[in-house]
Amino acid sequence: MEKDKRLLMIPVFGVIIVATVFIMYSPSNLLPMTMETVEVTGVGLHLADGSNVLLLVSMSVENPSSVPVTITDVDIELLVNGAFYGSLVLGGGEQDVLPGETVSIVRIVQLIGSPIGFQSEGTTEQYMLDISADVTGEASSLGLWASRTVTVERMMSWYYDRS
């Protein structure tokens, strides 16, 4: 009788171990942990020439999970002083975020006709930037695949000193 109880415990422990491994390495459970860490960290000027303005938008992503995450797409809409100037993300590509790693993602955003490009020489202006970034990531593990898109928003005051 005692031996029968021990034999019955083997499948129970097996199920517990399989469930634990699935929870610890399932991309659908772990991907949200990483995607919730995405944040816009700053904006820098790359070019301001009349109607053509190129801004560098920096974001950081931390991966606290146990599976690698690939950032597959970043789409950014940037408003200057509440107005939309046709944000176009230039360049990019996929970027891997390994477990325990924090990476910086930089995208060039082109604006057409924004007041930044028409600012007079020798002046310092303050602009209100509203940034909305749709960031898509994916992960695979244990033969499973998951994808998730998060929207990160940030409003910031930004100064351009053209002296």
Side-chain angles (χ1 to χ4, degrees):
M1 184 94 161
E2 208 57 45
K3 186 177 182 181
D4 291 340
K5 286 184 180 178
R6 279 188 258 157
L7 286 176
L8 287 175
M9 294 302 286
I10 292 173
V12 170
F13 284 126
V15 168
I16 291 172
I17 290 170
V18 168
T20 301
V21 167
F22 182 77
I23 290 169
M24 290 178 59
Y25 292 98
S26 171
S28 60
N29 291 336
L30 299 176
L31 185 60
M33 291 171 51
T34 298
M35 297 308 291
E36 290 170 3
T37 68
V38 178
E39 65 178 355
V40 174
T41 56
V43 174
L45 180 67
H46 181 67
L47 171 76
D49 183 26
S51 65
N52 189 27
V53 173
L54 300 177
L55 296 174
L56 301 170
V57 178
S58 302
M59 293 174 277
S60 72
V61 181
E62 179 184 350
N63 186 353
S65 76
S66 55
V67 297
V69 172
T70 301
I71 303 301
T72 58
D73 188 38
V74 177
D75 188 33
I76 299 171
E77 183 176 283
L78 198 146
L79 305 178
V80 178
N81 295 338
F84 180 67
Y85 294 97
S87 306
L88 176 64
V89 178
L90 305 175
E94 295 184 350
Q95 192 156 3
D96 292 327
V97 188
L98 299 176
E101 187 176 72
T102 301
V103 293
S104 178
I105 297 172
V106 178
R107 293 293 185 263
I108 297 174
V109 179
Q110 181 181 29
L111 305 175
I112 302 295
S114 124
I116 297 170
F118 295 101
Q119 181 176 322
S120 302
E121 195 167 328
T123 61
T124 299
E125 293 287 331
Q126 176 184 6
Y127 299 98
M128 291 304 298
L129 304 180
D130 293 315
I131 304 159
S132 178
D134 292 331
V135 182
T136 302
E138 59 184 44
S140 61
S141 176
L142 303 173
L144 302 171
W145 176 85
S147 177
R148 181 170 185 165
T149 300
V150 295
T151 300
V152 180
E153 295 183 351
R154 179 164 180 200
M155 177 184 267
M156 61 189 294
S157 177
W158 183 76
Y159 290 90
Y160 177 30
D161 180 9
R162 187 165 181 219
S163 45

